[in-house]
Amino acid sequence: NPEVGFSLSDGAKTLLSVPPGASGREQGDLFATLLYRLGRLMGKSFADNAVKVDLAREGARVTGFVGLPTLNKANSLSQYLFVNGRPVKDKMLYGVVRGAYRDFLASDRFPMLALFLTLPPHDVDVNVHPAKTEVRFRDVQEMRSLAINSIRQALSGSAGQQTSSTIADATLRAFENEPQRPAHF
């Protein structure tokens, strides 16, 4: 919720502070607000190397940001999934993410992302797990297809882009490995 600010401290100092922001309707761009807040939580590298996801079909919509394939981690802790505003840790949705990145990412790496699935309440059952972390979709295939297509569409629109840190690292390595030339060259 972009209108809610929060902070985290260890008692002596503030470790993280995310101020409340305009809801997007007032600010004019909900995606800009979302990316700013995700950058505060997931790091500047994510904000600099994420692509927008926005795809709707038959009353359902997937929005958010996915990291470029070159921005990845060794685990899935930087994957945030929400269904109708509720954070979930759903195996089917994690499988969707792996499937969408299959052609772009090694199988032992995990992309960084924050995806928000919005659909009519009668199309999803949130009472599957006692902690409400898993959901059951009425039309699993349709939701799987929508989510995979939204991620792949975003990634294909970013074809050729590399993360800013990857480009900088590659440039630095190129100069480090370049043989020393005489001054007259």
Side-chain angles (χ1 to χ4, degrees):
N1 184 343
E3 296 171 357
V4 176
F6 59 92
S7 63
L8 173 68
S9 71
D10 66 0
K13 63 180 179 179
T14 300
L15 303 172
L16 174 70
S17 178
V18 180
S23 67
R25 289 180 296 278
E26 293 123 21
Q27 184 178 350
D29 186 359
L30 182 59
F31 283 101
T33 301
L34 178 60
L35 185 58
Y36 167 77
R37 291 173 65 87
L38 289 172
R40 299 285 301 193
L41 297 169
M42 297 172 71
K44 184 175 179 348
S45 63
F46 179 76
D48 290 344
N49 299 289
V51 291
K52 181 171 97 171
V53 173
D54 190 8
L55 186 64
R57 184 187 319 150
E58 299 178 22
R61 184 176 182 193
V62 178
T63 58
F65 287 90
V66 295
L68 294 171
T70 50
L71 180 68
N72 58 70
K73 300 262 185 162
N75 57 47
S76 64
L77 296 177
S78 292
Q79 294 181 353
Y80 299 96
L81 304 169
F82 299 85
V83 175
N84 289 348
R86 177 189 306 265
V88 297
K89 301 235 182 248
D90 189 81
K91 291 176 187 174
M92 188 277 290
L93 292 175
Y94 284 122
V96 162
V97 170
R98 292 198 68 73
Y101 274 88
R102 182 179 55 236
D103 296 337
F104 304 102
L105 199 57
S107 63
D108 63 340
R109 303 302 296 178
F110 297 84
M112 296 177 70
L113 57 86
L115 289 178
F116 302 83
L117 285 74
T118 307
L119 59 157
H122 65 273
D123 285 346
V124 61
D125 182 2
V126 296
N127 295 312
V128 175
H129 188 274
K132 311 264 192 237
T133 58
E134 295 179 23
V135 295
R136 183 177 300 131
F137 298 104
R138 186 171 56 118
D139 189 343
V140 175
Q141 294 295 41
E142 181 61 31
M143 283 312 300
R144 180 178 287 140
S145 172
L146 177 63
I148 286 175
N149 288 336
S150 67
I151 295 170
R152 285 193 175 171
Q153 190 175 84
L155 292 175
S156 67
S158 68
Q161 278 184 268
Q162 292 183 328
T163 60
S164 58
S165 59
T166 301
I167 294 168
D169 292 345
T171 304
L172 184 59
R173 280 193 305 274
F175 283 111
E176 287 174 349
N177 295 330
E178 188 174 291
Q180 295 296 322
R181 294 190 175 119
H184 65 278
F185 277 96

